[in-house]
Amino acid sequence: MQIRELKIPDSYEVTPKQFGDDRGVFLEWYRFDRLEETIGHPLRLAQGNTSVSKRGVVRGIHFADVPPSQAKYVTATHGAVLDFVIDIRVGSPTFGQWDSVLLDDVDRRAIYIAEGLGHCFVALTDDATVSYLVTSTFNAEREHGIDPLDPAVGLDFGMPADELLLSPKDTAAPSLAEAEASGLLPTWAAARAYYDELNKGA
């Protein structure tokens, strides 16, 4: 298993080693110990989610209040998605920037996204199946969104805008600037303080 930090601090691409033979393939897509070595504390998993999307579906940009927010470990078990991590932590040196990882059923990579970061993906195939391990249960009052088509963020979905399908909730979400102005976004300081707290309790 190879773990590579993305250009957004506190997010990582995970590439598993696959073992194939005439029966098929075996791999470890999640290893708590390897991830703990990287991020400084174990993930205390609270919920597992799965979404199935047709080509062009965009889910996100989603995030939750810090603390506790919700760290995510995400992989695609069928099909392919382009998965984005967006730095929405006000005061971060990479605020407003993003990075992406192709998650598919070929390389079978995963992405780790720390608390306080924004998450979004676009389905590149029909029946794209994404599984998420998360560190807190869903709490609608603490969950928020940013418009994934916000030109100031500039996510590159790799397909024309008229082929994208968003939920009404995501379409109605504020821009990054609007979310910042309203005080909706987490701060770099609050996120760092929470990461330090998690590391001390490791």
Side-chain angles (χ1 to χ4, degrees), residues 80-149:
V81 303
L82 188 59
D83 198 279
F84 299 90
V85 54
I86 304 95
D87 197 340
I88 59 169
R89 300 167 297 187
V90 177
S92 167
T94 55
F95 176 73
Q97 299 179 36
W98 56 269
D99 205 348
S100 63
V101 174
L102 176 65
L103 306 180
D104 61 22
D105 54 13
V106 178
D107 294 319
R108 304 181 192 278
R109 291 187 179 93
I111 184 172
Y112 168 77
I113 300 169
E115 296 87 350
L117 292 170
H119 179 236
C120 178
F121 71 78
V122 59
L124 303 179
T125 63
D126 285 330
D127 297 322
T129 304
V130 175
S131 290
Y132 322 58
L133 301 175
V134 298
T135 56
S136 62
T137 56
F138 177 77
N139 183 334
E141 294 182 356
R142 301 181 64 82
E143 298 282 335
H144 309 287
I146 295 167
D147 180 2
L149 303 183

Side-chain angles (χ1 to χ4, degrees), residues 51-59 78-82 121-130 159 162-166:
S51 65
V52 181
S53 305
K54 65 182 182 180
R55 184 182 183 278
V57 166
V58 176
R59 297 183 186 267
H78 179 76
V81 303
L82 188 59
F121 71 78
V122 59
L124 303 179
T125 63
D126 285 330
D127 297 322
T129 304
V130 175
M159 63 181 69
D162 61 3
E163 295 182 16
L164 302 177
L165 179 62
L166 282 66

Side-chain angles (χ1 to χ4, degrees), residues 11 15 18 21 30 35 41 43 74 100 102 122-123 136-137 143 153 166 175-177 182 185 189-190 199 202:
S11 64
T15 303
Q18 301 188 59
D21 57 25
Y30 171 71
L35 192 61
H41 61 271
L43 285 192
V74 186
S100 63
L102 176 65
V122 59
S136 62
T137 56
E143 298 282 335
V153 178
L166 282 66
S175 68
L176 182 66
S182 68
L185 300 179
N199 292 342

